[in-house]
Amino acid sequence: MGRSRDNRRRAAAEAVVEAVEGGLAELIPDPDRARAWSLLIDGAPQSHVDLDDPAHLSFEYQRRIGHVIDLAAPPGKPVQAVHLGGGALTLARYTAATRPRSTQQVVERDAALVQLVRRELPLDPGARIRVRSADAREGLAKVPDGWADLIVADVFSGARTPAHLTSTEFLDEVRRALRPGGVYTANLADGPPLAHLRAQIATAAARFAGLALIADPAVLRGKRFGNAILVASDSPLPLAELTRRAASDPHPARLEHGAKLMDFTGGAAPVTDTSAVASPAPPPSVFR
């Protein structure tokens, strides 16, 4: 108990707290890893980064996206990736570490957050990561047609995904920027009755032939609020290996696809720009 209290006191003393455009950012040192930090915005955990081991993914939703990154191309092969939403640049760092010589673009609207992260958690100077401060959809529109092997969407404003990133028109831009056979993955968050998540699956199904969803079974049953990882492509997905990896995680997840995933939508209609709303706010208990 004494060591635990000492660690907490040390972490509090060394925390970096700074106002950014999205709220109050806190960089909290990890007491168990020498150069690892967690990023919180207004108390909501956003990212975890280990500067000594950027291939280490601490958050369960990021590990699940990590599986998608691992399977988006043969092991170690460089990719061209777009990250919508930057946070602490965890997934861009992961891609650079596991796929050296990859070329990556990060679009993060919060310029003050980008400055904070660059200053306190500097990128490897050898990583080919370009960070652009812009709205995610506006930044995506500047990506050349067919440029990306992989597009990762992890965008939250006030712990909610903005409405204009939930529509078929947004996915049209995703498809335009992806090469044939490229992979799109998105971090979605919802809780009971899962209306947002069901509508997002219906929206993705209207634009992609290959579709899967990775989530904690309790989230899929509508028992609690949580994250679900959408995976989409115009080509078949590596479903067997994604299933195996999700099930063998420290926090096991289930993968749904095919008819079961379509049944999960419950007949929800695809979302368009005219009907889009932001994802629901998480209950306060989620971050306690």
Side-chain angles (χ1 to χ4, degrees):
M1 289 292 293
R3 173 177 286 185
S4 176
R5 284 195 296 269
D6 288 345
N7 285 339
R8 285 198 295 271
R9 283 196 295 270
R10 183 180 70 81
E14 297 176 2
V16 178
V17 181
E18 196 165 301
V20 296
E21 293 167 25
L24 188 66
E26 299 174 84
L27 287 173
I28 309 295
D30 185 334
D32 299 318
R33 303 179 75 93
R35 297 181 68 225
W37 300 76
S38 292
L39 168 66
L40 285 68
I41 304 291
D42 286 342
Q46 300 288 324
S47 305
H48 180 278
V49 168
D50 188 335
L51 297 178
D52 289 333
D53 183 11
H56 172 77
L57 298 176
S58 179
F59 289 3
E60 60 186 61
Y61 89 85
Q62 291 184 327
R63 285 198 304 274
R64 291 165 188 165
I65 295 178
H67 299 325
V68 178
I69 295 170
D70 291 346
L71 298 172
K77 180 182 178 182
V79 296
Q80 296 186 161
V82 177
H83 300 264
L84 304 177
L89 309 177
T90 303
L91 293 168
R93 298 174 201 262
Y94 177 85
T95 305
T98 58
R99 297 184 176 279
R101 303 181 308 284
S102 291
T103 302
Q104 302 185 76
Q105 298 184 32
V106 178
V107 183
E108 169 56 60
R109 182 171 188 166
D110 195 328
L113 176 61
V114 171
Q115 292 177 359
L116 171 65
V117 169
R118 281 187 175 277
R119 185 184 74 235
E120 300 294 336
L121 308 176
L123 287 165
D124 180 342
R128 301 177 181 180
I129 301 173
R130 176 188 178 189
V131 184
R132 174 184 295 152
S133 295
D135 171 79
R137 190 156 159 180
E138 292 175 1
L140 179 62
K142 296 181 180 179
V143 175
D145 292 1
W147 183 86
D149 300 296
L150 173 70
I151 296 178
V152 179
D154 185 16
V155 186
F156 288 87
S157 176
R160 305 177 70 183
T161 301
H164 68 298
L165 305 181
T166 67
S167 66
T168 52
E169 290 89 343
F170 166 67
L171 291 184
D172 287 338
E173 275 296 302
V174 170
R175 282 186 60 95
R176 180 198 59 77
L178 277 175
R179 66 163 178 81
V183 177
Y184 171 65
T185 185
N187 178 26
L188 309 175
D190 200 8
L194 299 178
H196 173 73
L197 186 56
R198 297 180 201 279
Q200 286 302 286
I201 299 305
T203 305
R207 292 297 184 266
F208 289 97
L211 210 61
L213 188 70
I214 308 170
D216 185 301
V219 172
L220 291 176
R221 291 196 300 267
K223 298 295 185 182
R224 68 173 181 85
F225 194 99
N227 299 91
I229 304 305
L230 170 71
V231 191
S233 178
D234 62 9
S235 295
L237 295 168
L239 297 173
E241 184 62 15
L242 276 174
T243 298
R244 186 191 70 78
R245 291 182 180 223
S248 61
D249 255 357
H251 297 278
R254 194 169 80 218
L255 183 142
E256 294 287 7
H257 66 96
K260 282 189 176 180
L261 186 55
M262 292 303 96
D263 289 345
F264 174 79
T265 67
V271 175
T272 65
D273 278 347
T274 56
S275 63
V277 296
S279 67
S285 60
V286 168
F287 303 126
R288 287 177 186 165

